[in-house]
Amino acid sequence: MFDGVARRYDITNTVLSGGMDRRWRRRTRQCLELQPGQRVLDLAAGTGVSTAELLRSGAVAVGCDFSLGMVRTGHATRGRELVPFVAGDGMHLPFADGVFDAVTISFGLRNIADPSVALAEMARVVRPGGRLVVCEFSRPTFAPFRYIYLNYLMRMLPWIARRVSSNADAYVYLAESIRAWPAQEELAHTIVASGWSRVRYRNLTGGIVALHLAERT
């Protein structure tokens, strides 16, 4: 499915989010508090647009994605030298223990078969004291806004995707997966149970997106 949407993935996301995807990527980078020269893993990196944002901090950023179509599109649009990519499974990361200073995953945790396993794998490849930021769709906190948002999600989003995306059916899945995803507190508990500590979260855009921050003990 992700191979099929790779070609127009970035522009579709920007249109569907009304351009807010750029702000969400920037806030993710800022919350990681990366220092020049530190190593950061960008899991479920897609075409590498989020990895390129992380590189702005001066860190050494590596993008990893399960979809070969996404990786190939990233190589074609951003260049192998500018954004390094590794094809890999989030539940069996192809990296040694403790090799990264930080790890992040943006809008990808929902798409992994067992998010708890992926969170534990991310903890494995990050050094003690290293940081995690999960940027993911969440639950708007204001009930009237949540009602409007869910209507947009289930009705307008697929309609727009049919006119922009190369595979509109994938965005029906997107809407359904967002609606079924746990709220902020429940995800925080899952992160704690997966080997992370000092877990807290920040809502963005009224809770449409939440950033969950944690540290490796």
Side-chain angles (χ1 to χ4, degrees), residues 32-84:
L32 280 166
E33 299 181 345
L34 296 165
Q35 300 301 313
Q38 288 189 322
R39 291 173 56 84
V40 57
L41 172 63
D42 185 20
L43 184 57
T47 66
V49 65
S50 54
T51 319
E53 176 66 35
L54 298 175
L55 289 169
R56 295 181 59 192
S57 66
V60 178
V62 177
C64 181
D65 202 279
F66 190 68
S67 165
L68 294 179
M70 288 288 186
V71 172
R72 293 189 189 104
T73 300
H75 282 158
T77 57
R78 269 169 266 283
R80 296 172 187 263
E81 297 79 15
L82 296 177
V83 178

Side-chain angles (χ1 to χ4, degrees), residues 129-187:
R131 299 172 303 284
L132 165 73
V133 174
V134 176
C135 176
E136 188 55 88
F137 291 111
S138 198
R139 195 76 50 87
T141 55
F142 183 52
F145 178 53
R146 184 164 62 244
Y147 175 81
I148 294 169
Y149 169 67
L150 288 174
N151 271 274
Y152 165 78
L153 197 64
M154 303 310 297
R155 297 180 182 180
M156 286 300 297
L157 187 147
W159 183 86
I160 296 170
R162 283 195 293 272
R163 286 148 179 81
V164 180
S165 171
S166 53
N167 181 0
D169 289 342
Y171 289 87
V172 174
Y173 157 78
L174 171 68
E176 292 173 346
S177 69
I178 293 172
R179 186 174 63 174
W181 188 245
Q184 291 88 326
E185 287 291 344
E186 185 178 348
L187 179 57

